[in-house]
């Protein structure tokens, strides 16, 4: 045996195990994954591309070709969707058509096997056993309710009735990246099947911290598994139980100082190592009953999340302040849906939904040594260093001296924010209107109720000293020796917020659609009007900012109350009349509450199957009017982030997706999205030390909405080389895709942005009957781009996108 044959044998030996084989593209037809994969959909009466919605469907093969291993890889692959990969798994900011959210409540809903994921802290998880992803763009609130105003992402795991055997995946990549997963699918009988599997991922990181010996910032690892069982107790019944668990532990936040003048980004350099860990448990039970004329389903979900984020919040080598945030979330949801079966002229869906969430958050902020120097200067200036008092022909100059003696100042925060939601909904579609085959009208309405509450307990205590001297002067010249009005006296001030706030909302969420189906599986055109909303909430991050103000006020009041009994009697009247008192502390509800965001979506579009299904086309035009848009920004003090309502905005745009079979071996796909999202009514305040009240009014009307790329695009292709029978390979598959986004404005001022950019990804796959070996590359051209930008405490910070990375992966089925 010569060397080349020996090498080929060694390469293909591990692939000879199992029975997994990718489906050959052996006809000149675009594969309809909704026909190939039977997915239970409790609410929709027809296949998604037959509905009046803009939708993108991604099969398992699509995800492998595009290297989708998390929700953040959907950026630009789906038109007008942008999910910046920054921070950690805690942060999954999803933007669709100009609608999105960086913190607090999401603007895009996520469902996994029909179970809603209520909190976006759980959105970023492992995709090792995912079969299909559906992305519906535009408000889906009539059927899906709150926080689906941008759209929804539906993720489906593999069914053990459809897959058999054991899937094994082992991979490695540059920059010390490793991954492995194994899942067994077993069909015990015609009535019961189950799957069980686990995974482990390790990431060596891309960025280094110059202030901590160039230690990798973003290393991480995660491990977990999934158990799924499907039982068919009778011909009309189906029970589907799905339980998953994931633990992740990672670094993050590789933010470097950004120079606005020349556009340079410094290497990240901050003094305290930042991290994030998360325990995530999800469980869901789908019960389905097939009656003669309708389907009844009940979906019960439970989610448990426990995490910890530690962050150096100043992101500089100085020891200023840190944040340690811990969350503990328990969520129970229930949805009961009844829908008609296909075939009738009147198709309908009606249901009831509700969930309750317990969320406990602790978020202590710690001011360290350098931060205490800042606080010392700030609080020391609260009490004037000189108070001149006219005393006849002379002036008595009262001179308080304040010095903060606390070396580290913790600002504690404990918050309970339970959330209750309930809804009733109905949607009907009337087909063949006025006797015209293919013409249909859809009308739906949802009544959505939400009650939110916040129990808060946040406070701090600080040690400081106060001394008061007096100096008489005449004509600007001191006369006599200084008078010791009060010796240096140690004091302690306490400041805090403790109380409860509650608020409830009632929303009516209609949808209307007119659609015409061309028949013979050729496609449709539609026009849709729908309303969506994102729930309001509370900015718990703002309590450190509130305490800064209340600490000033309480310090002034406490100082005056304490020093008055100590001041000698002959000076009491002078000090009492001239020593300043603190103002009124900010109201917690007014400072932390933000309102729901609402949008109306006007859309026309089409789904087409052309040239005997060799080309699939989806296109739409949309107009969104958004009111009370929620914008995430850093507080004016720079000590935390807050969500504020920005008045009104408008998004105009369109999107198109094409997927075609050029030859039996060659397929192409392309997509493009355009969004023009601007503020229409957004006037706010900014700090201005020169103004009378310390603020100035500024208008952002006409400015682009931040974090919304004007253009998103994707161009991909696949070519398959089929080997002759008897060859040591069955086929070789080449995949390449080029995706991009931009321009992206990072601030409301539109003064910092990322221009249009693209990244090239590729995969080379060698397949032999039972398995395959893949060689892959991401960002093959090593494109330099920004993934995130923000401003804090007068500094600008930016995170760079990930550089080139390559690797190898083995997949096989036993």
């Amino acid at each position: 045996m010569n060397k080349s044959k020996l090498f080929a044998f060694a390469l293909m030996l591990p692939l000879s195990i199992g029975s997994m084989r990718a489906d050959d593209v052996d006809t000149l037809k675009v594969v309809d994954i909704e026909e190939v994969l039977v997915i239970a959909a409790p609410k929709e009466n027809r296949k998604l591309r037959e509905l009046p919605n803009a939708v993108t469907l991604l099969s398992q093969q699509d995800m492998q070709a595009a290297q989708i291993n998390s929700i953040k890889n959907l950026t630009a692959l789906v038109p007008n969707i942008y999910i910046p990969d920054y921070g950690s798994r805690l942060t999954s900011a999803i933007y669709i058509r100009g609608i999105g959210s960086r913190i607090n409540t999401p603007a895009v809903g996520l469902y996994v096997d029909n179970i809603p994921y209520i909190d976006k802290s759980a959105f970023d998880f492992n995709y090792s056993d995912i079969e299909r992803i559906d992305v519906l763009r535009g408000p889906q609130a009539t059927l899906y309710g709150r926080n689906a105003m941008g759209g929804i992402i539906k993720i489906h795991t593999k069914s053990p009735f459809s897959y058999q055997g054991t899937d094994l995946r082992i991979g490695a990549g540059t920059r010390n990246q490793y991954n492995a997963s194994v899942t067994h699918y077993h069909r015990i009988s015609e009535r019961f099947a189950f799957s069980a599997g686990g995974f482990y991922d390790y990431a060596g990181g891309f960025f280094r911290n110059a202030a901590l010996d160039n230690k990798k910032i973003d290393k991480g690892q995660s491990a977990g598994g999934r158990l799924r069982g499907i039982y068919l107790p009778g011909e009309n019944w189906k029970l589907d139980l799905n339980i998953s668990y994931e633990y992740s532990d990672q670094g993050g936040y590789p933010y470097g100082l950004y120079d606005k003048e020349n556009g340079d980004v410094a290497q990240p350099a901050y003094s305290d190592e930042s991290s994030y860990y998360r325990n995530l448990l999800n469980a869901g039970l789908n019960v389905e009953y097939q009656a003669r004329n309708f389907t009844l389903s009940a979906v019960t979900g439970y989610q448990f999340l426990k995490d910890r984020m530690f962050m150096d919040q100043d992101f500089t080598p100085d020891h200023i302040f840190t944040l340690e945030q811990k969350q503990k979330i328990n969520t129970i949801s229930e949805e009961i849906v009844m829908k008609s079966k296909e075939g009738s002229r009147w198709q309908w869906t009606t249901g009831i939904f509700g969930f309750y969430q317990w969320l406990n958050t602790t978020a202590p902020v710690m001011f360290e040594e350098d931060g205490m120097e800042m606080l010392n200067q700030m609080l020391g200036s609260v009490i004037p260093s000189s108070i001149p008092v006219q005393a006849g022909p002379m002036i008595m100059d009262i001179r308080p001296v304040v010095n903060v003696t606390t070396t580290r100042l913790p600002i504690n925060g404990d918050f309970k924010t339970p959330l209750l939601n309930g809804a009733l909904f109905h949607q009907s579609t009337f087909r063949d209107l006025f006797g015209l085959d293919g013409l249909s009208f859809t009308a739906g309405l949802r009544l959505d109720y939400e009650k939110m509450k916040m129990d808060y307990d946040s406070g701090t205590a600080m040690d400081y000293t106060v001394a008061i001297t007096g100096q008489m002067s005449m004509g600007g010249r001191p006369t006599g020796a200084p008078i010791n009005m009060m010796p240096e006296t140690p004091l302690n001030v306490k400041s805090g917020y403790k109380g409860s706030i509650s608020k409830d909302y009632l929303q009516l969420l209609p949808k209307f659609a007119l659609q015409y189906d061309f028949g013979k599986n050729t496609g449709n055109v539609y026009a849709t009007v729908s309303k969506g909303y994102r729930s309001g909430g509370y900015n718990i991050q703002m309590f450190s900012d509130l305490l800064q103000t209340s600490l000033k006020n309480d310090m002034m009041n406490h100082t005056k109350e304490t020093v008055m009994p100590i001041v000698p009697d002959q000076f009491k009247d002078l000090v009492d009349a001239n020593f300043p008192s603190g103002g009124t502390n900010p109201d917690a509800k007014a400072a932390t509450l933000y309102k729901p965001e609402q949008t109306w979506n006007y859309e026309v579009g089409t789904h087409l199957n052309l040239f005997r299904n060799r080309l699939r086309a989806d296109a739409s035009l949309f107009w969104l009017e958004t009111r009370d848009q929620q914008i995430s920004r850093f507080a004016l003090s720079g000590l935390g982030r807050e969500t504020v309502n920005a008045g009104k905005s408008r998004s105009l745009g369109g999107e198109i997706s094409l997927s075609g079979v050029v030859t039996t071996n060659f397929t192409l796909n392309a997509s493009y999205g355009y969004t023009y999202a601007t503020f229409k009514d957004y006037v706010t305040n900014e700090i201005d030390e020169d103004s009378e009240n310390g603020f100035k009014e500024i208008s952002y009307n006409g400015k682009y909405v931040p974090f919304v790329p004007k253009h998103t695009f994707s161009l991909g292709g696949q070519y398959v080389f089929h080997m002759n029978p008897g060859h040591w390979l069955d086929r070789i598959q080449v995949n390449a895709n080029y995706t991009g986004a931009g321009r992206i404005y990072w601030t409301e001022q539109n003064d910092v942005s990322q221009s249009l950019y693209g990244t090239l990804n590729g995969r080379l796959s060698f397949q032999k009957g039972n398995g395959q070996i893949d060689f892959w590359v991401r960002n093959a051209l090593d494109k330099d781009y920004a993934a995130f930008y923000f401003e804090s405490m007068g500094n600008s910070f930016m995170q760079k996108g990930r550089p080139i990375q390559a690797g190898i992966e083995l997949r096989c089925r036993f």
Side-chain angles (χ1 to χ4, degrees), residues 194-197 225-229 241-244:
F194 77 93
S195 62
R226 185 184 302 274
L227 176 66
R228 185 177 183 185
L241 177 66
N242 197 320
I243 302 173
S244 65

Side-chain angles (χ1 to χ4, degrees), residues 721-772:
F721 298 90
H722 294 275
M723 303 295 106
N724 295 325
H727 195 274
W728 62 278
L729 280 174
D730 285 343
R731 66 187 212 169
I732 300 174
Q733 182 173 312
V734 180
N735 291 95
N737 72 329
Y738 188 72
T739 61
R743 178 174 298 266
I744 306 166
Y745 291 95
W746 301 115
T747 64
E748 287 90 342
Q749 298 93 330
N750 293 175
D751 57 346
V752 183
S753 64
Q754 169 61 55
S755 60
L756 183 68
Y757 72 95
T759 58
L760 176 64
N761 308 304
R763 185 175 68 109
L764 175 63
S765 177
F766 298 93
Q767 302 175 9
K768 178 66 176 180
N770 305 315
Q772 64 189 57

Side-chain angles (χ1 to χ4, degrees), residues 421-435:
N421 180 275
L424 297 170
F425 59 91
H426 177 84
Q427 182 171 291
S428 287
T429 298
F430 304 94
R431 307 179 67 179
D432 301 334
L433 286 177
F434 313 117

Side-chain angles (χ1 to χ4, degrees), residues 60 109 217 257 289 308 355 361 647 660 722 750:
Q60 183 183 6
I217 291 178
L257 281 168
Y289 173 71
R308 173 191 180 268
F355 79 85
T361 306
H722 294 275
N750 293 175

Side-chain angles (χ1 to χ4, degrees), residues 638-704:
L639 298 183
R641 291 184 300 173
E642 62 177 338
T643 296
V644 298
N645 295 101
K648 299 178 182 178
S649 70
R650 175 179 296 163
S651 293
L652 306 173
E655 50 212 16
I656 184 169
S657 298
L658 301 172
S659 181
V661 176
V662 181
T663 69
T664 302
N665 300 329
F666 186 32
T667 59
L668 286 174
N669 56 79
S671 67
Y672 171 73
Y674 174 79
T675 300
Y676 183 80
T678 56
F679 293 113
K680 294 301 174 185
D681 181 13
Y682 183 17
V683 179
T684 186
N685 292 323
E686 288 193 352
I687 292 178
D688 183 6
E689 297 179 355
D690 297 329
S691 65
E692 186 173 325
N693 60 359
F695 297 96
K696 67 176 179 180
E697 187 176 84
I698 186 169
S699 172
Y700 294 124
N701 294 342
K703 299 289 187 179
Y704 290 100

Side-chain angles (χ1 to χ4, degrees), residues 134-154:
D134 307 329
V135 182
L136 283 68
R137 299 183 296 282
Q140 308 296 321
T142 304
L143 291 182
Y144 292 93
R146 68 192 294 275
N147 300 347
M149 61 183 296
I152 61 168
I153 299 173
K154 302 174 69 175

Side-chain angles (χ1 to χ4, degrees), residues 299-370:
V299 181
T300 305
Y302 171 72
Q303 184 171 91
F304 171 79
L305 184 147
K306 183 179 180 181
D307 68 1
R308 173 191 180 268
M309 175 184 68
F310 183 84
M311 181 186 293
D312 184 335
Q313 280 209 242
D314 56 272
F315 303 108
T316 68
D318 297 328
H319 295 270
I320 299 178
F321 69 119
T322 62
L323 168 67
E324 181 185 29
Q325 176 181 287
K326 295 180 180 180
Q327 295 183 119
K328 187 176 181 180
I329 306 175
N330 286 276
T331 307
I332 297 176
S333 64
E334 181 67 38
E335 186 165 42
I336 300 174
V337 180
M338 183 182 294
K339 69 174 183 178
S340 62
K341 291 193 172 180
E342 293 188 46
S344 62
R345 292 185 61 186
W346 177 35
Q347 295 181 332
W348 49 268
T349 298
T350 191
I352 182 172
F353 171 79
F355 79 85
Y356 190 83
Q357 181 182 83
W358 298 263
L359 171 55
N360 297 338
T361 306
T362 61
V365 173
M366 176 67 72
F367 281 88
E368 300 179 306
E369 294 87 349
D370 297 320

